[in-house]
Amino acid sequence: MLRLVLITKGGIKIKYLLVGKDSLLATMIVAHGLMGFDEVAADKDFVDKSHQQSGSIISVGKDSIGNEIFCAIHQYPGIVVRINEEIKMLKESPVSELRTIPVLTDLGGVPFLIALSRLPGIGAWFDNWARSSVLSRKQQLIEKGQVLRVMNEPGMEPQGRPAAAKPQI
Amino acid sequence: MKNFVYFDYGGSHTSVIAAGIHAGLLDPHNPPDDKALSQFPYFDETTPDDFGKMKHLGTHPEGHRIYCLGTKSSTTGPLLEGMAELQNAAGQFIFCDTMPYVNTTLRIGGWLSRGIGLSVLGRPLVYRGIRKEYGKIADFVKACAHHQGGNKN
């Protein structure tokens, strides 16, 4: 608790980028679990289809202590983690404001349905099917986010090690 | 000083050539021959460990650092720009997508050479594919450098 207060008083806020493999909707539900929600009012229109296909980063919101949460999709989330580290190393101030978290979820046949949703004409039908399948796993996805929240608790390194405390002046 | 990152799916063909032109290692007006291509750093050499790594090709006389990158995805531009922005480094990175210059010959050659390890069959196709697009890649590099504020020689 003390550690948490010190971090928020210092104004250090972390940006979390959750990178899902297949479904942006699923990743956003996980993000709500990470933000501390026990439930999320997600429906089929929770994420626009164009966002799923654009590959851009979506802002989800802030958690209770002001950390910002973002979501994105990449077929290989580990590559995004590596790119983030590369950007961190090459930029002028190497302090990282962004922590990337791969979100690996078992979504059954959803990836296949998402692939079919790109088909012209009948794609919308497969898109709806994919969304319904994701929503049927909503609780499981929120719990996944809550586990990630514990693993990435402020003041903890990504591997789960406590951060070294700086002496107070 | 900026970091110019040329990226494509594999990070071993069009992105390497574009970065090479920008870094002044390749003549934008004369496509390299097979021998020059085969000896060019990082060209057709990607391994699975290289995906996501920014490989430094050189430094422009004005100080801009030039990299190539394989993202294993064909739509990574918005993600890369977003990540730089979230790291408060948007002004330091210019991401240039060379995927539009990956023609069918390059796709087949790249898959044979890097995908299934048949470089004997794939490389001749890769060389041919690169030379076919070379002028367009050189124009793209010029446009990328000028539009983004990094003057190309």
Side-chain angles (χ1 to χ4, degrees):
Chain A
M1 189 57 162
L2 177 63
R3 185 176 63 221
L4 187 70
V5 171
L6 285 173
I7 287 166
T8 51
K9 269 193 172 176
I12 300 169
K13 299 285 186 284
I14 299 169
K15 293 171 186 169
Y16 289 104
L17 174 61
L18 274 68
V19 187
K21 194 175 181 313
D22 307 296
S23 164
L24 186 59
L25 174 60
T27 311
M28 287 190 72
I29 295 171
V30 172
H32 280 78
L34 179 79
M35 289 163 71
F37 290 99
D38 293 325
E39 209 170 298
V40 55
D43 58 19
K44 286 182 181 176
D45 300 322
F46 196 55
V47 184
D48 193 80
K49 186 182 175 184
S50 61
H51 286 143
Q52 168 79 36
Q53 294 177 353
S54 71
S56 53
I57 294 174
I58 309 290
S59 173
V60 184
K62 290 183 179 178
D63 67 10
S64 55
I65 57 168
N67 295 316
E68 291 179 80
I69 317 293
F70 299 87
C71 282
I73 289 292
H74 192 283
Q75 202 180 351
Y76 302 93
I79 290 177
V80 178
V81 175
R82 189 181 286 172
I83 292 171
N84 189 50
E85 289 302 310
E86 294 278 310
I87 292 173
K88 185 174 110 182
M89 280 195 292
L90 295 177
K91 70 176 193 159
E92 280 164 15
S93 60
V95 178
S96 179
E97 292 90 7
L98 180 65
R99 187 177 289 180
T100 42
I101 304 174
V103 178
L104 303 173
T105 47
D106 179 15
L107 296 174
V110 169
F112 183 59
L113 295 174
I114 289 173
L116 292 175
S117 74
R118 296 190 184 95
L119 291 171
I122 54 170
W125 186 76
F126 286 109
D127 183 53
N128 269 331
W129 188 359
R131 286 164 187 261
S132 299
S133 298
V134 169
L135 291 172
S136 70
R137 296 170 168 85
K138 193 158 71 174
Q139 200 52 41
Q140 174 195 335
L141 293 169
I142 287 176
E143 284 166 12
K144 172 109 187 163
Q146 289 167 341
V147 170
L148 288 175
R149 180 180 173 81
V150 173
M151 288 168 65
N152 291 275
E153 182 189 353
M156 303 286 280
E157 293 298 316
Q159 296 85 1
R161 271 188 301 118
K166 280 187 178 175
Q168 284 188 321
I169 300 169
Chain B
M1 198 275 294
K2 291 182 178 179
N3 299 293
F4 280 81
V5 182
Y6 290 90
F7 67 94
D8 60 8
Y9 186 94
S12 59
H13 301 124
T14 55
S15 59
V16 174
I17 293 302
I21 293 171
H22 197 154
L25 303 174
L26 293 170
D27 182 350
H29 307 293
N30 294 309
D33 59 19
D34 287 3
K35 191 182 174 192
L37 282 173
S38 69
Q39 292 171 348
F40 196 72
Y42 302 123
F43 187 80
D44 200 42
E45 284 180 0
T46 308
T47 65
D49 285 344
D50 290 328
F51 290 114
K53 282 186 190 167
M54 294 187 192
K55 292 173 281 185
H56 186 230
L57 254 291
T59 303
H60 190 271
E62 291 181 2
H64 304 303
R65 291 181 297 206
I66 317 295
Y67 299 88
C68 62
L69 168 70
T71 63
K72 223 172 177 185
S73 166
S74 49
T75 54
T76 323
L79 178 61
L80 294 173
E81 284 161 12
M83 287 168 73
E85 198 173 313
L86 291 178
Q87 290 228 32
N88 297 322
Q92 298 172 37
F93 288 87
I94 307 295
F95 295 102
C96 305
D97 185 0
T98 62
M99 275 304 288
Y101 307 100
V102 180
N103 54 36
T104 308
T105 313
L106 263 174
R107 267 180 219 277
I108 296 168
W111 176 73
L112 286 170
S113 179
R114 306 322 308 153
I116 58 172
L118 291 174
S119 39
V120 175
L121 293 175
R123 282 200 174 169
L125 293 173
V126 166
Y127 298 153
R128 189 183 301 178
I130 281 292
R131 272 196 291 275
K132 198 173 168 188
E133 295 294 322
Y134 195 81
K136 289 179 193 167
I137 295 172
D139 288 345
F140 171 69
V141 170
K142 193 174 178 182
C144 191
H146 278 284
H147 287 158
Q148 308 291 350
N151 291 331
K152 196 185 143 288
N153 48 354

